[in-house]
Amino acid sequence: MTVMQTTPAATEHDPNPADICSAPPRRHPRPDGQDSYTISEVVAFTGLTAHTLRWYERIGLMPHIDRSHTGQRRYSNRDLGFLDFVTKLRLTGMPVADMVRYAELVREGDHTFGERQELLESTRRDVLTRIAELRDTLAVLDRKISFYADGVREYEREHAGC
């Protein structure tokens, strides 16, 4: 199944970057060509549940999972890579419908690069907004923690002889 393909992104500073994904991909447990994983192996490798994997298939996020001659799902390294990417998208707060739309765009072909980019840029803006909100929240927590730490020290000084 070809769900996610990445392409190099040229920049002013580095005309030959390795990949547009910033985190290096996780090593797959088996080399390409020998990569046929059962659903239980994928559960162990990804941390996702079998229910989640079947749900992803049902909603069209991963609709073309290969099957063995007995009908059991067989996942490839490419599938594992896409599941890793989907997990990252979930952490961003991207709605499942947008993840499904992204997967549909990938399946439609290279002419959808622009629309995929827009979808990811929108998600990136949302993540940056959340990061700013979390930094503000962290600053408030740090001030409160400092306040209580100073209060404890003051209390200990006042009651040192008790």
Side-chain angles (χ1 to χ4, degrees):
M1 171 171 122
T2 303
V3 176
M4 185 184 107
Q5 298 170 336
T6 58
T7 57
T11 65
E12 294 176 50
H13 306 294
D14 183 4
N16 298 312
D19 193 286
I20 61 172
C21 297
S22 61
R26 289 171 51 181
R27 272 193 82 153
H28 299 302
R30 297 185 190 134
D32 288 341
Q34 299 173 21
D35 57 331
S36 179
Y37 306 96
T38 64
I39 198 166
S40 60
E41 290 172 317
V42 174
V43 164
F45 188 67
T46 65
L48 298 169
T49 66
H51 173 78
T52 298
L53 293 169
R54 288 189 294 268
W55 181 65
Y56 283 176
E57 191 175 352
R58 225 177 14 257
I59 65 171
L61 190 55
M62 297 189 70
H64 301 293
I65 300 300
D66 288 336
R67 301 284 180 142
S68 71
H69 67 282
T70 60
Q72 292 179 319
R73 289 170 179 84
R74 295 291 181 208
Y75 294 83
S76 68
N77 286 338
R78 186 173 294 259
D79 297 327
L80 293 178
F82 186 69
L83 287 168
D84 187 51
F85 181 63
V86 166
T87 300
K88 300 276 189 283
L89 291 179
R90 289 186 69 202
L91 288 172
T92 70
M94 178 186 267
V96 173
D98 287 348
M99 289 188 275
V100 171
R101 179 66 185 141
Y102 181 87
E104 289 169 350
L105 291 169
V106 170
R107 287 189 294 272
E108 287 176 24
D110 292 351
H111 69 280
T112 65
F113 276 7
E115 197 171 343
R116 285 186 250 170
Q117 181 180 354
E118 288 174 27
L119 190 56
L120 294 176
E121 285 176 351
S122 173
T123 300
R124 184 178 190 280
R125 285 189 298 273
D126 293 344
V127 168
L128 289 172
T129 299
R130 285 186 37 224
I131 288 171
E133 291 168 348
L134 287 171
R135 283 189 177 133
D136 289 345
T137 301
L138 184 59
V140 169
L141 289 172
D142 288 344
R143 284 193 303 275
K144 283 294 189 182
I145 290 167
S146 179
F147 170 80
Y148 289 118
D150 291 345
V152 167
R153 283 191 288 273
E154 182 65 31
Y155 178 84
E156 288 172 348
R157 274 195 298 270
E158 290 177 7
H159 296 87
C162 298

